[in-house]
Amino acid sequence: MQIAEGLARTFAPFTEVVVHDLLDPAHAVLAVHNNLSGRQVGHPATELGLARIMDPAYEQIIANYPNQFADGRQAKSTSIGIKDTQGRYVAALCMNIDLTLFQGFQNAMNRFTAVEGSTPVQESLDPSGIEAIRARIDAFAAKRAATPRSLKPESRRALMKELKAAGLLEVRRAMDTIAAHLGVSRATVYSDAK
């Protein structure tokens, strides 16, 4: 119960956390924190809870599946089945995230970042080549599931070889751009380039 309450406090007010007693399916809901669904203590088990009761081999963790509240709001849910020592499901911890606010943020960001129209001449606020350097650094880091600023020295050295092979170290102010994008000093960039 404390785990459910801790999760609820952490993700309030967007996430409902429900504890189910699967040994009493007719009154399975033991606790509801940040109530978003309208369910109450003593309500019956859901279809997922009943499936677990019927089949101990049913998947134990079902994460990030689409769901919907009774009033139509979209939700993202995760359900974690809890087994006893004999391997039978006895409880479940479920989280339901109300996506309404996040979808609103996403829509606002999409509108804000949308560009339209054109200029008679192609315009860039970046000097030529600088954008290519940043894009190459970002791609290099992404391939390693990292950010440019989190690259370790051995990765930075490999990056510098790649930039040199692509001719990007010849771009005016390349070393300044690389240093700023990686969050290191120019001296570090020159050292990595050797």
Side-chain angles (χ1 to χ4, degrees), residues 43-116:
H43 275 190
T46 62
E47 293 84 357
L48 187 52
L50 295 174
R52 283 194 172 120
I53 292 168
M54 301 299 291
D55 181 8
Y58 201 86
E59 200 169 344
Q60 193 160 8
I61 299 173
I62 302 171
N64 301 317
Y65 61 91
N67 211 338
Q68 186 173 333
F69 293 113
D71 62 4
R73 286 173 294 150
Q74 290 184 346
K76 177 171 88 164
S77 297
T78 292
S79 177
I80 304 163
I82 301 166
K83 294 183 176 187
D84 65 10
T85 54
Q86 283 79 41
R88 294 173 302 181
Y89 283 110
V90 294
L93 176 69
C94 301
M95 295 176 288
N96 303 303
I97 301 169
D98 183 350
L99 297 179
T100 308
L101 180 65
F102 300 103
Q103 289 167 335
F105 285 156
Q106 186 176 27
N107 290 337
M109 289 303 294
N110 287 343
R111 290 200 62 207
F112 183 75
T113 59
V115 293
E116 50 190 60

Side-chain angles (χ1 to χ4, degrees), residues 5-6 16 34 40 49 54 63 74 79-80 109 114 120 133 135 148 159 163 169 177 187 191:
E5 186 176 349
E16 172 185 79
N34 299 335
Q40 300 298 322
M54 301 299 291
Q74 290 184 346
S79 177
I80 304 163
M109 289 303 294
I133 291 171
L159 169 65
L163 293 173
L169 295 185
T177 300
S191 173

Side-chain angles (χ1 to χ4, degrees), residues 127-134 137 149 156-157 159-165 167-194:
S128 177
I130 298 295
E131 191 175 311
I133 291 171
R134 289 186 188 128
I137 293 171
R149 290 178 176 253
R156 288 196 315 262
R157 286 190 287 275
L159 169 65
M160 295 305 290
K161 285 180 185 175
E162 195 175 294
L163 293 173
K164 184 175 184 176
L168 292 172
L169 295 185
E170 307 306 317
V171 171
R172 186 172 172 274
R173 300 190 50 84
M175 295 305 209
D176 291 332
T177 300
I178 296 165
H181 207 59
L182 294 176
V184 297
S185 68
R186 284 183 69 216
T188 298
V189 172
Y190 279 107
S191 173
D192 289 341
K194 289 182 180 178

